[in-house]
Amino acid sequence: MYFVKKLYLPETLPEALKILKEHPETTILAGGTDVLVKMRHKRMRDVTLLSLAKLPLSGVEDKGDEIVIGPGTTFTALAENPIMQTRLPMLCTAARSMGGPQIQNVATIGGNVCNGATSADSAPSLFALDAVLTLTSAGGDRRVPIREFYTGPGRVKLESGEMLTAIHIPAGEQARWGGVYIKFSTRKAMDIAILGSAAVCELGEDGRVIKAAIAMGVAAPTPVRCTDAEALLTGKTPTAELLQEAGRLALTACSPRSSWRATKEYREALIQELSVRAFQEAYRLAGGKAL
Amino acid sequence: MIEIKCTVNGKPTQVRIEEGETLLDMIRERLGLTGTKRGCEVGECGACTVLLDGVPTDSCLMLAALADGKDILTIEGISSGRELSVMQQAFVDEGAIQCGYCTPGMILTAHALLKKNKNPTAEDIKRELAGNMCRCAAYNQIINAVQKAAREENKD
Ligand SMILES: Cc1cc2nc3c(=O)[nH]c(=O)nc-3n(C[C@H](O)[C@H](O)[C@H](O)COP(=O)(O)OP(=O)(O)OC[C@H]3O[C@@H](n4cnc5c(N)ncnc54)[C@H](O)[C@@H]3O)c2cc1C
Ligand code: FES
Ligand code: FES
């Protein structure tokens, strides 16, 4: 039994937004795998909940130049979605790496993002892919790049009355394109990442890197992009030496902490190593040679 | 109190519940189906697994109110009458039941696995059962049991 004061189950988005406006203390409940665990630990009592269960917020749409993911899409649905499998397999990897099957069956990507954890398994990929979020309130929509959405541990730029209603991922033709997510954890399932590393690589016709994106989870209070490493790689034809240098530069964006899972020093070593491994694999998938 | 309608082990069921009640509370306390176990209550152990529209779900992390209109299968509904299901029998035969606390959840998750994968490899089984902890660590026997059940079911 949870201490629920009231549970709203709206069936349309306008109805939901009206409730959020009139009752700003309301907590949004998607899959509940973060919210209910917090309530169980009694960190939240007498909560008013608004369930997204009946809202049409799940599914994936390929719009040609972008892929739009409904925030209510569960990780199982994401991993099994054919559009995701062909266009953004790195997010399928992330989906399959989180929790276990029962958690993946109910946990949503929107909840993962809005929870604001640096360890969120979808976050490094969404950062590397330059995802943009649509936040909707009774007053209308606004769009926020995911790179600006996380403001601190467990904190995101959601105003009162606002709801995440779409995740947009710019995804053009994807010729000579590769994307990879690597989760480093002690167990392969039911374990939070010690470090998460995502990389995206796009090559020009001459084989040079025209886009390099490297993002990390658990490397700082929020997920981060390793912009110095990216700048070094852009415009170049990668060599093993260049990648090693990029790995060292990946650290400039990071400020890892010691926790019971791993020390700061261990995480620093992982940041160097996994940024290289992730980018190397993204480069190979983009058509570059194995290094 | 609110009323929900769902199907429990094939039977149309109406239940009056509290808004903050979990599906686990409802199944155990209101319906008296105590085969579904209460373990960690935070989604870690899988002892409370039921099949919700055929999908393994931790009933401790689901509000009962959200089961309105759903089809729920608990361990009590896995066999018809007094005979064990193929999966249950395989668990017995392979010694996959030690204390038995994880068993209802294990069997339901394994049952759902065989519905979508008729010949799971040991790796498939490990992946699919990753959300079900066995405190007695009968994992090898459990994997053998699931593979045995798959062979049995493929026979006929
Ligand atoms: C056993 C277990 C293992 C886990 N393992 C992992 C793991 O390996 N990796 C990982 O990343 N996470 C893990 N988690 C955490 C959790 O499952 C994920 O963060 C999940 O994606 C949360 O999604 P949800 O739909 O359950 O969110 P909820 O719990 O429903 O919501 C999470 C937060 O987001 C808000 N929210 C949800 N949807 C919206 C929306 N559309 N608009 C605005 N706000 C919204 C809620 O108000 C809440 O603050 C685990 C959890 C458990 C219980
Ligand atoms: S009791 Fe539900 S997962 Fe442990
Ligand atoms: S048999 Fe005891 S927990 Fe699995």
Side-chain angles (χ1 to χ4, degrees), chain A residues 28 30-35 75 98-99 108 112 114 120-121 164 183 191, chain B residues 43:
Chain A
I28 294 172
T33 58
D34 281 314
V35 171
F75 281 112
M98 71 85 60
T108 66
N112 202 225
C114 293
D121 275 308
L164 171 63
K183 174 175 182 170
D191 203 358

Side-chain angles (χ1 to χ4, degrees), chain B residues 38-41 43-48 58 60:
Chain B
R38 193 187 294 277
C40 65
E41 290 196 275
E44 297 280 350
C45 76
C48 65
D58 290 328
C60 69

Side-chain angles (χ1 to χ4, degrees), chain A residues 1-9 29-34 36-37 40-41 49 51 53-54 76 80 96 99-103 105-106 187-190, chain B residues 2 18-22 25 30 38 41-46 49 55-58 60-63 65-66 68 109 116 123 127-133:
Chain A
M1 180 75 88
Y2 295 101
F3 300 99
V4 174
K5 195 156 87 187
K6 169 100 191 116
L7 170 68
Y8 291 104
L9 262 166
L29 178 77
T33 58
D34 281 314
L36 294 179
V37 170
R40 172 73 64 206
H41 293 140
L49 294 175
S51 164
K54 296 200 168 160
T76 298
E80 290 177 354
R96 279 282 175 246
Q102 285 91 328
I103 300 294
N105 287 341
V106 296
R187 287 191 69 215
K188 283 193 195 138
M190 303 300 286
Chain B
I2 51 170
E18 301 279 358
E19 282 180 329
E21 191 168 324
T22 65
D25 295 330
R30 298 205 191 268
R38 193 187 294 277
E41 290 196 275
V42 285
E44 297 280 350
C45 76
T49 302
V55 178
T57 307
D58 290 328
C60 69
L61 276 189
M62 163 84 47
L63 292 181
L66 301 182
D68 190 30
T109 310
K116 54 177 194 187
E123 272 312 305
R127 198 174 49 240
E128 227 30 53
L129 293 183
N132 293 82
M133 304 291 145

Side-chain angles (χ1 to χ4, degrees), chain A residues 131-150:
Chain A
V132 176
L133 309 176
T134 298
L135 307 178
T136 309
S137 69
D141 286 344
R142 61 178 180 128
R143 286 196 178 203
V144 177
I146 194 160
R147 290 170 67 180
E148 291 162 26
F149 186 64
Y150 282 72

